[in-house]
Structures are given as C-alpha cells and as structure tokens.
Amino acid sequence: MKRIITVQDISCVGKCSLTVALPVISAMGVETCVLPTAVLSTHTAFSGFTFRDLTQDIFQITEHWKREKISFDAIYTGYLGSFEQINQVQKLIDDFGSGGAKVIVDPCMADNGKLYAGFTPDFAAAMANLCSRADVIVPNLTEACFMLGRTYVESGYSKEYIEEILEKLAAFGAKNVILKGVSFDDKKLGIVSYNSQSKKISWYFHEKMPVSFHGTGDIFASVLTGALMRGFLLEEASRLAADFVVEAIKATLSHKDYNCYGVDFESAIPFLISRVNQ
C-alpha cells in the first residue's frame, strides 16, 4: 500500500483541509499520514473560531520520523499559514523526498481575486518558490495570478491567455500544472492540465454548479493525490477529482437543510471507490 504525508491545518468542525484529505485519500486505498500545521475550532467560514498554531511542533515531529526511518511515496501540501511553514515544507521535501516521493502542492492562499486574510504578495512569491519543487501544482486562477504577479481577470479571457498562464507557472519548475476554475461561459467550469516536458495541454469541463462551497479545492487535491498513488495518469486523476467534486456538490444540494459546513462528500464516496476500482 502506498503511503503519503499531507501537510495542512485541521478544523474540528467543517469539511476542509485534513478533515477532507484523511478520509478521502484513505477511502481510495492509500495510507494517509498527517502533519497538522494548526488546529481550528471550525473552518474560517464561521465567525469567532479558535486557532492554535502548531509551527513549533513540526520540527520535533519530522525529526522523530527520521529517527524511525519512516518514508513516504508522496508529500501533499495544502493550506500553509506562514513563511516559516513554507520553509518547513521545503525541509520536509529535502528530508523525505529524495527517495522518489511525488510532491503535490495546492497553494491554498487566494480565491475570487483576493488573497486570504493575513497573506501578502510576498507570501505568494514564497509559495511560487515552493511550487518550483513540485511534481504537480493545483492552483486556482486567482492563486496563479498572484504567484505570477499579474492582475486577476475574472472572465472574458481567451484560451491563449490560459495557455500562457500554464506555461509561465511551469517555468517556476513544476513538472505538471493543473489550473482550476477555468470558464469561458456561464454553463461550464473546468480544469486545464499541462505537462512541462511533453508540452501537452488537456482541457476538461463539467457543468457549473449553482452554488460554491468551502473546501471543494481541498477535495479536488485530495482525490488527485489518491488517484496518482493508485497509478492513474495525471489527466485521468484530474478528471476523476473534478467529477467527484461535482458528485459531492450534487449530494449536498439534495439536502433541503444544507449549510456552510462543507459538501456531503461522504455520500459520494461509493462513486469514488467505484471509479478507482474500474
């Protein structure tokens, strides 16, 4: 069985980050180890949440792993809350990535044209440096623009514009880029993957759902990571991840009392397992 380590925060209530990554990747038949960067009482869509930074614990945890000679087949990073945590992930890659571990970076720091609270353009530049170490990066369009230092364009862009962004992101050093949230009309939303070696660009669109939910980007990256560990090619893994997000949103919308806690990915797990085992 493949073993991965995922580095991100955990919310006690609310479906995102480790609360999503651990069950989803485990359900895909991949051993999922966790390195929590912070503990929150709820995810940040709630007001008044508590926050406990675990930065000071990370070094001791990873040093213990080194003494135990623990190894990983992949390192998957999500939300990182500081420059120091980015530096710690760089060291994690140095310490545990030399054996051929695949590195997947989801640069969770922005959406809808804005950086998340507490982040700056300098942080986006540091995240771009981390992305240079990755085998796969999965930014949304906002994150891509901040890392490239260019103005975010919400709509009306061309296919050539997206292809230029993919090429410039790959120039950081990432072997593969998956750009999320690409749309050319009101009915379809999609992803675009780019292989920096073959220069191949693959487009995949699905129906645009009427409601957006917190944590769907984490679900996408988690399914992608699990699928890559199960031997899926990048294009196949990214399509499965997109399809699962849609299924989870549909399951959520089937409940009359759905809320902001996150999507009902649990009900869509049988769909995911079926696709993985096809």
Side-chain angles (χ1 to χ4, degrees):
M1 180 183 291
K2 296 288 187 178
R3 176 194 296 135
I4 70 109
I5 176 66
T6 179
V7 188
Q8 46 192 314
D9 62 285
I10 185 164
S11 297
C12 299
V13 174
K15 303 176 187 181
C16 65
S17 302
L18 287 182
T19 318
V20 166
L22 179 56
V24 167
I25 302 174
S26 296
M28 298 177 74
V30 177
E31 182 181 347
T32 310
C33 305
V34 301
L35 182 54
T37 57
V39 178
L40 292 77
S41 56
T42 67
H43 64 49
T44 56
F46 292 80
S47 60
F49 58 87
T50 66
F51 179 89
R52 174 74 65 178
D53 190 318
L54 299 179
T55 301
Q56 299 306 314
D57 297 282
I58 292 175
F59 176 76
Q60 296 180 30
I61 292 170
T62 56
E63 286 300 297
H64 181 214
W65 291 347
K66 287 163 64 176
R67 292 195 299 271
E68 295 295 327
K69 296 180 170 50
I70 295 171
S71 62
F72 304 105
D73 295 294
I75 299 168
Y76 155 40
T77 72
Y79 182 93
L80 302 173
S82 66
F83 289 97
E84 186 173 357
Q85 289 186 355
I86 290 179
N87 292 335
Q88 287 174 326
V89 168
Q90 297 269 21
K91 189 174 188 309
L92 184 75
I93 295 171
D94 291 337
D95 290 342
F96 295 93
S98 60
K102 191 178 293 293
V103 178
I104 300 104
V105 174
D106 184 1
C108 301
M109 59 181 175
D111 203 1
N112 299 316
K114 297 180 180 180
L115 286 165
Y116 296 153
F119 290 156
T120 64
D122 287 341
F123 185 85
M127 186 62 75
N129 185 50
L130 176 60
C131 287
S132 72
R133 305 285 304 276
D135 293 283
V136 185
I137 63 173
V138 287
N140 59 37
L141 191 52
T142 298
E143 291 157 347
C145 288
F146 273 108
M147 286 194 292
L148 293 172
R150 61 194 303 168
T151 302
Y152 169 73
V153 179
E154 182 177 4
S155 61
Y157 44 76
S158 65
K159 182 178 179 181
E160 290 73 23
Y161 172 82
I162 296 299
E163 291 176 347
E164 180 188 2
I165 285 181
L166 290 168
E167 291 172 357
K168 289 186 177 299
L169 287 172
F172 290 144
K175 298 181 179 65
N176 298 280
V177 179
I178 300 174
L179 189 61
K180 302 177 295 186
V182 176
S183 180
F184 296 107
D185 58 52
D186 294 332
K187 296 181 179 179
K188 297 289 185 180
L189 185 68
I191 54 171
V192 191
S193 60
Y194 176 72
N195 182 297
S196 63
Q197 295 179 328
S198 68
K199 311 299 183 185
K200 180 181 179 181
I201 297 177
S202 300
W203 304 78
Y204 185 63
F205 291 91
H206 52 75
E207 61 181 306
K208 184 181 288 187
M209 305 306 293
V211 183
S212 60
F213 288 95
H214 198 83
T216 51
D218 301 330
I219 293 174
F220 180 94
S222 297
V223 174
L224 176 78
T225 300
L228 291 174
M229 291 298 96
R230 289 298 303 267
F232 283 57
L233 298 176
L234 182 73
E235 187 175 344
E236 298 171 333
S238 59
R239 292 186 177 194
L240 173 59
D243 289 345
F244 182 68
V245 169
V246 171
E247 288 297 315
I249 292 176
K250 287 179 177 178
T252 308
L253 296 178
S254 70
H255 306 307
K256 294 181 180 180
D257 59 345
Y258 68 82
N259 52 45
C260 67
Y261 286 18
V263 296
D264 180 12
F265 71 86
E266 296 92 340
S267 294
I269 289 290
F271 166 86
L272 178 62
I273 295 174
S274 175
R275 286 280 297 270
V276 169
N277 293 326
Q278 280 184 354

